[in-house]
Amino acid sequence: MTEKIRLIATDMDGTFLDASGQFDHQRLDDLLKKFEAKNLIFTIASGRSLLTLEKLFKDFTDRIAIIAENGSLIQYKNQVLFEQLMTPSQYLDLTAKILENPYNQGVELLLSGKKAAYILAESPQSYIDFMKGYYENIQLVENFEQLDDDIFKITTQFPAEYVRKGAAWLNERLPHIQAVTTGFESIDIILRGANKGFGLSHLCQVLKLKSEHVLAFGDNLNDFEMMDFADVAIAPENARAEIKELADEVIPHHQEQSVITYMEGMIKE
């Protein structure tokens, strides 16, 4: 099944990373050496910002591809290949709509930019502390109107029971954006057309690869397009039901480091 694979892409949270948001650096280094010997490309695909992913993979960025911001930014061996930015009017209109959303639970939203991530100063401290686990250089601002930065994406929180309804409400009212669930309480909002599948397709075009050369791992709905694009789709046991249904194979829970174990097994084939 994997003999024609040339590129392996994996989601981060709930898939490649463990429960503490980390991974075994030595195992990845060993794996990359074997990948490089076989001309295989390792790609991380995440809703996280490039700043965060570059810190997390600081020892590996010159050896891997990165799809950040749910497909709004693509980088290969430290070279940016593509980026899609929101205009100020777009992200200001969007933040207003988020605050109007009947399923919204307050001012828990973050704007992810090139230089920093921005949260309203009036946000609960618990939300600020939580987002520090996922974003680098968080800045507290009184409003979003005077930001001196390029913005890729907005992320927000909804109560778990309303997260899908909250995303649907936004998608119905703002046709130029796409709201996708990234966790059981989280929604990422990006410009329509940008998603991990788009990012993976664009990366493959640059590298002169086809979807039949791609294997992808994912666990959540923002991984759907990426896994649908890939010839082989693998989901951990903890994935959403829709993702496991799409997958060609379901492997053990991500906390068992099942993704890197699967990749190590590919090399032994």
Side-chain angles (χ1 to χ4, degrees), residues 1-263:
M1 181 173 69
T2 59
E3 60 184 17
K4 61 186 174 181
I5 298 301
R6 301 263 62 86
L7 186 150
I8 297 91
T10 180
D11 168 57
M12 292 290 98
D13 296 288
T15 307
F16 182 74
L17 302 179
D18 62 23
S20 61
Q22 299 298 317
F23 63 93
D24 188 321
H25 285 228
Q26 187 59 57
R27 285 182 76 181
L28 180 60
D29 183 53
D30 293 341
L31 180 68
L32 288 180
K33 290 174 183 175
K34 295 173 182 176
F35 272 17
E36 288 155 4
K38 291 182 174 289
N39 198 29
L40 294 171
I41 298 165
F42 179 67
T43 302
I44 58 176
S46 177
R48 295 189 185 213
S49 69
L50 182 63
L51 287 174
T52 304
L53 295 171
E54 285 186 323
K55 181 179 180 181
L56 190 60
F57 289 86
K58 61 183 176 64
D59 298 325
F60 305 103
T61 57
D62 61 339
R63 303 164 67 186
I64 66 174
I66 299 175
I67 299 170
E69 307 284 12
N70 272 322
S72 294
L73 188 147
I74 305 164
Q75 179 174 292
Y76 180 57
K77 294 184 176 180
N78 289 326
Q79 179 182 355
V80 174
L81 304 179
F82 172 85
E83 58 183 22
Q84 182 168 276
L85 302 165
M86 292 183 176
T87 65
S89 62
Q90 285 174 329
Y91 63 72
L92 290 174
D93 184 39
L94 184 49
T95 54
K97 281 291 189 292
I98 290 171
L99 296 176
E100 291 173 14
N101 194 314
Y103 303 102
N104 179 46
Q105 60 184 3
V107 293
E108 297 185 1
L109 65 159
L110 175 148
L111 272 62
S112 181
K114 281 187 178 180
K115 296 186 288 188
Y118 305 92
I119 296 177
L120 292 173
E122 61 183 295
S123 300
Q125 188 62 44
S126 58
Y127 177 70
I128 297 169
D129 292 341
F130 175 75
M131 297 310 287
K132 285 180 178 178
Y134 296 91
Y135 290 86
E136 288 298 307
N137 193 23
I138 287 181
Q139 302 293 315
L140 302 183
V141 295
E142 294 302 318
N143 57 65
F144 297 125
E145 296 177 0
Q146 305 297 325
L147 299 183
D148 180 24
D149 201 352
D150 294 317
I151 301 300
F152 290 102
K153 180 195 70 181
I154 299 176
T155 187
T156 187
Q157 299 282 100
F158 288 86
E161 63 269 29
Y162 298 131
V163 67
R164 294 195 185 188
K165 291 181 178 179
W169 190 93
L170 290 169
N171 284 325
E172 288 169 5
R173 286 158 180 79
L174 296 167
H176 63 287
I177 64 93
Q178 183 173 7
V180 293
T181 60
T182 60
F184 290 96
E185 296 182 349
S186 300
I187 294 175
D188 274 3
I189 303 116
I190 48 183
L191 292 176
R192 186 162 293 279
N195 55 60
K196 292 183 185 180
F198 167 81
L200 195 52
S201 174
H202 188 91
L203 177 62
C204 284
Q205 288 178 28
V206 174
L207 299 175
K208 295 181 170 52
L209 298 175
K210 299 178 180 179
S211 61
E212 66 192 60
H213 300 130
V214 178
L215 182 148
F217 299 90
D219 76 309
N220 218 311
L221 296 181
N222 65 325
D223 300 315
F224 190 94
E225 292 88 354
M226 173 176 74
M227 296 177 72
D228 190 48
F229 172 82
D231 188 64
V232 181
I234 310 291
E237 180 56 42
N238 55 284
R240 283 188 180 270
E242 300 93 326
I243 298 300
K244 288 195 282 189
E245 183 177 342
L246 175 65
D248 296 294
E249 184 177 349
V250 176
I251 58 177
H253 199 286
H254 81 102
Q255 292 184 21
E256 299 179 35
Q257 300 187 63
S258 58
V259 170
I260 196 164
T261 298
Y262 187 97
M263 291 188 288

